[in-house]
Amino acid sequence: MNKPNLIKISLLLLWCGMLAGCGKDFLNRPPEDAIVDANFYKTPEQVLAGTAPLYNIVWFAYNDKSSHGIGDGRGGALMSGSYQVENIRMQTTDVTPEVYTSWTSFFNVVAQSNMVINNLTKFTGPEVPESAKQAGIAEGRFMRAVAYSYLVQNWGPVPVIVDNNVLLTDTSITRNTVESVWEFIIRDLQFAADNLPASPALPGRVTSWSAKGMLAKAYLTRAGISGTLNQSDLNEAKKYALDVIQNSGARLMTNYEDLFLMKNNNNSESLFALQWKYDGDWGTQNSVQAFLAYGSEITGFGDGWGGDLGGSLDQLKLYTTLDKRRKATFMFPGDHYSYIHQSVDDPNNPGKKIIQELQVPWNWVGSERYNTRAWVKKYVVGRPEDNEGKVTQQHTEINTYMLRLADVYLIYAEAALGAAPSTTDATALKYFNDVRKRAGVPDKLIITANDIFNERRLELAMEGQIWYDIVRMHYHSPQKALQLLGAQDRGTYRIVPNAATNATSWSITSDTPAFYPVTEANFFLPYPAVELSAAPNLRKPPVPYKF
């Protein structure tokens, strides 16, 4: 690949360059750093325009299917007989589609972040204030850190890349150790915390508080990589989490279900969210409704392919009848949603359809009426008329949460607990119970590691997070993590409501239990087969990264 001369091109071509980079093997055909020239970054507005694609298109391939396949399928929140089955059954291989799409998506984020960092460093005009320049670089370093946090948690040792052009001539690139990857992540996030503004430059842009929240999670996760919990890292996690909680101005949304309405994008609880556009070019939209919604009658188009997908029995058993999060996450038969509509047959006009508020239907199975799936609700936003017209086939613009305040509350509680069997720490209990209060469930007077893990499952299900909580557990308690996964029932079940509409209670019984053994050999994702072929150095032992 020859490096082209610097040329002046439009932001549209910048986006096209990013799209082209998505499908390339990351080690042999990286995106070039010469997308925009010295004439582009002349104003703070142009700096913001140059970093805008880091909030959607580079993440698209992961968000599209891999996030819920890996984060929730492997994490144990989902069951299905046909969709994401390799991930759900913990039989992920080097040719499982989500392995390659997530790997390439994360390295595309890294490559495009590197371009932003290097171009802003080299080409920012003198008219741009230094603070605006450093904030743009900080956006790139923030995104690169988040991408690497996913890479290291899914694959362990991975190559740390800061200069895309090195890959054009250097054939010795190999993996770096888990310890050095986490150190790289923390350094990037610290730079972001120091250089991002306290308030978003534009709606949805990351801030110093976004970086501090991610630092809290990074320190919490890194605390266990030696096999025991490191108190210094736990203290840092507590410090950053408490700073965000007390000083950022972020607030929990009052109603949990409201978090997942498109009209509430970039709400008071959102600390970092991917920003989508329903009518933009392919890859700038949120496509997940197409794969999660149970039918086209609630999307308004030919998508809605999630009829065979549902919450796992293991996940559903965690919810009590009081927990408001269940209805916002999974649909039970007889549930009513006033803000989503459905197309149904008109009883007075055969062959015609009418639109009515959604009453989740039952299905006839033989002579009995029940459902065999708790269909996914979270990120299912409904038809165009439910969203001011901002829905088309496979296109919505609901934000994808990457970090929200409730997550930080639970990070603080977990860091405060540390290696102790339980805690009554007043501050930890306060924030832990604030999350539960919103959900409508009673306070706890003492909390354990299992309490916090299960609370995170309830709070963050279908947000692509559960798997990474298990990885964090696996760092310091590997046998516990493996046993937990092996004990999850991901088999079939029956849900029978007490009423056809506006049901208030349900009986859930196991039909065919299904447990899938997990060992160290299949805990982490395999490297994609295509990458091992193109980059044989991935087989070499990892080495520390040279800072």
Side-chain angles (χ1 to χ4, degrees):
M1 182 187 296
N2 294 321
K3 180 178 177 182
N5 294 326
L6 293 177
I7 58 174
K8 184 177 181 181
I9 61 174
S10 66
L11 183 59
L12 176 61
L13 289 181
L14 172 63
W15 282 45
C16 291
M18 291 187 170
L19 279 171
C22 292
K24 297 178 179 178
D25 297 336
F26 89 98
L27 281 181
N28 65 347
R29 304 186 72 185
E32 292 114 358
D33 71 341
I35 296 295
V36 292
D37 71 357
N39 294 318
F40 185 74
Y41 298 111
K42 282 189 171 181
T43 67
E45 291 74 22
Q46 287 178 327
V47 171
L48 287 169
T51 59
L54 296 178
Y55 288 82
N56 49 41
I57 196 167
V58 294
W59 293 96
F60 177 79
Y62 178 64
N63 186 72
D64 183 54
K65 301 182 187 70
S66 299
S67 175
H68 53 261
I70 295 171
D72 297 291
R74 284 174 65 82
L78 290 177
M79 58 82 69
S80 176
S82 62
Y83 181 60
Q84 298 282 359
V85 291
E86 289 180 333
N87 293 312
I88 290 169
R89 296 174 183 175
M90 298 302 292
Q91 296 164 357
T92 311
T93 72
D94 59 0
V95 294
T96 298
E98 290 73 34
V99 170
Y100 181 70
T101 55
S102 55
W103 173 273
T104 53
S105 181
F106 296 141
F107 272 109
N108 194 38
V109 176
V110 170
Q112 306 302 340
S113 297
N114 286 341
M115 282 192 346
V116 165
I117 294 163
N118 295 332
N119 286 343
L120 283 170
T121 300
K122 295 176 184 177
F123 304 136
T124 305
E127 301 88 353
V128 176
E130 183 65 18
S131 60
K133 172 184 174 179
Q134 294 303 318
I137 293 171
E139 281 184 287
R141 293 187 67 169
F142 175 93
M143 295 294 181
R144 185 171 67 183
V146 175
Y148 267 115
S149 73
Y150 283 109
L151 282 162
V152 73
Q153 290 177 95
N154 281 309
W155 285 278
V158 291
V160 172
I161 300 164
V162 298
D163 184 352
N164 303 338
N165 288 318
V166 169
L167 302 180
L168 298 176
T169 56
D170 188 347
T171 60
S172 65
I173 297 295
T174 188
R175 299 177 298 162
N176 295 111
T177 61
V178 168
E179 293 80 5
S180 57
V181 176
W182 275 112
E183 179 63 23
F184 182 83
I185 291 164
I186 286 172
R187 291 188 186 202
D188 263 358
L189 289 174
Q190 187 62 66
F191 181 91
D194 292 342
N195 290 278
L196 285 169
S199 298
L202 291 171
R205 293 301 184 99
V206 293
T207 67
S208 59
W209 300 112
S210 312
K212 289 177 180 179
M214 282 295 182
L215 268 171
K217 182 174 277 192
Y219 274 115
L220 178 65
T221 303
R222 191 180 75 164
I225 61 174
S226 68
T228 58
L229 287 168
N230 179 286
Q231 190 59 49
S232 177
D233 279 350
L234 293 175
N235 291 342
E236 290 296 296
K238 285 175 60 179
K239 179 186 76 175
Y240 282 109
L242 194 63
D243 194 10
V244 172
I245 292 166
Q246 294 184 341
N247 300 314
S248 68
R251 296 290 181 269
L252 293 183
M253 291 280 284
T254 302
N255 181 18
Y256 182 84
E257 203 165 346
D258 288 347
L259 284 162
F260 304 96
L261 303 180
M262 279 199 335
K263 67 180 182 180
N264 293 328
N265 280 349
N266 301 317
N267 55 67
S268 64
E269 186 169 335
S270 181
L271 290 167
F272 169 37
L274 302 181
Q275 308 288 309
W276 305 105
K277 186 173 175 58
Y278 88 98
D279 58 352
D281 294 332
W282 182 261
T284 65
Q285 86 282 17
N286 194 335
S287 58
V288 299
Q289 171 166 271
F291 306 103
L292 300 183
Y294 72 77
S296 60
E297 60 267 37
I298 61 171
T299 69
F301 297 94
D303 54 5
W305 305 310
D308 192 40
L309 190 67
S312 71
L313 183 59
D314 189 76
Q315 177 72 24
L316 301 182
K317 285 180 176 179
L318 295 176
Y319 296 101
T320 67
T321 56
L322 296 174
D323 199 323
K324 300 174 183 177
R325 293 171 294 196
R326 195 280 305 160
K327 183 170 178 279
T329 309
F330 297 107
M331 296 181 180
F332 280 9
D335 273 335
H336 174 254
Y337 296 88
S338 62
Y339 53 87
I340 295 180
H341 289 72
Q342 63 187 151
S343 172
V344 298
D345 293 330
D346 186 345
N348 300 315
N349 294 285
K352 293 188 176 182
K353 299 284 187 179
I354 60 173
I355 304 298
Q356 66 179 30
E357 291 184 357
L358 173 60
Q359 297 277 355
V360 180
W362 302 16
N363 291 314
W364 284 103
V365 184
S367 60
E368 299 180 80
R369 200 173 187 185
Y370 58 86
N371 277 6
T372 59
R373 298 290 186 274
W375 291 313
V376 177
K377 161 59 185 68
K378 195 175 283 187
Y379 290 120
V380 173
V381 298
R383 302 166 62 89
E385 55 265 39
D386 301 322
N387 298 279
E388 299 179 341
K390 296 179 180 180
V391 172
T392 59
Q393 181 158 326
Q394 292 182 261
H395 290 66
T396 78
E397 60 180 45
I398 188 168
N399 287 171
T400 299
Y401 291 111
M402 304 292 274
L403 182 70
R404 53 187 179 86
L405 187 63
D407 190 350
V408 179
Y409 278 21
L410 296 174
I411 287 169
Y412 182 88
E414 188 172 339
L417 173 68
S422 63
T423 184
T424 57
D425 177 274
T427 306
L429 281 170
K430 169 180 167 46
Y431 296 126
F432 180 85
N433 285 322
D434 279 351
V435 173
R436 290 176 61 83
K437 282 187 179 75
R438 178 174 64 180
V441 295
D443 286 358
K444 286 184 176 287
L445 301 178
I446 185 171
I447 49 178
T448 66
N450 286 340
D451 290 330
I452 295 170
F453 177 76
N454 287 334
E455 201 64 38
R456 290 184 62 83
R457 287 183 64 182
L458 292 164
E459 181 69 21
L460 301 170
M462 296 313 301
E463 295 181 50
Q465 294 296 318
I466 298 174
W467 175 248
Y468 304 102
D469 291 340
I470 297 173
V471 171
R472 182 164 64 251
M473 180 192 298
H474 181 265
Y475 277 158
H476 59 80
S477 302
Q479 284 307 307
K480 179 179 179 180
L482 297 178
Q483 290 168 7
L484 181 150
L485 288 167
Q488 290 177 339
D489 188 347
R490 306 183 187 195
T492 58
Y493 51 81
R494 303 181 183 192
I495 308 178
V496 180
N498 66 345
T501 59
N502 296 317
T504 57
S505 65
W506 296 262
S507 63
I508 306 176
T509 57
S510 176
D511 192 358
T512 304
F515 302 92
Y516 301 100
V518 185
T519 67
E520 289 294 340
N522 67 333
F523 183 82
F524 287 104
L525 295 182
Y527 295 97
V530 65
E531 293 294 0
L532 284 173
S533 176
N537 283 334
L538 287 173
R539 294 183 173 89
K540 291 183 178 179
V543 298
Y545 178 73
K546 294 180 180 179
F547 290 95

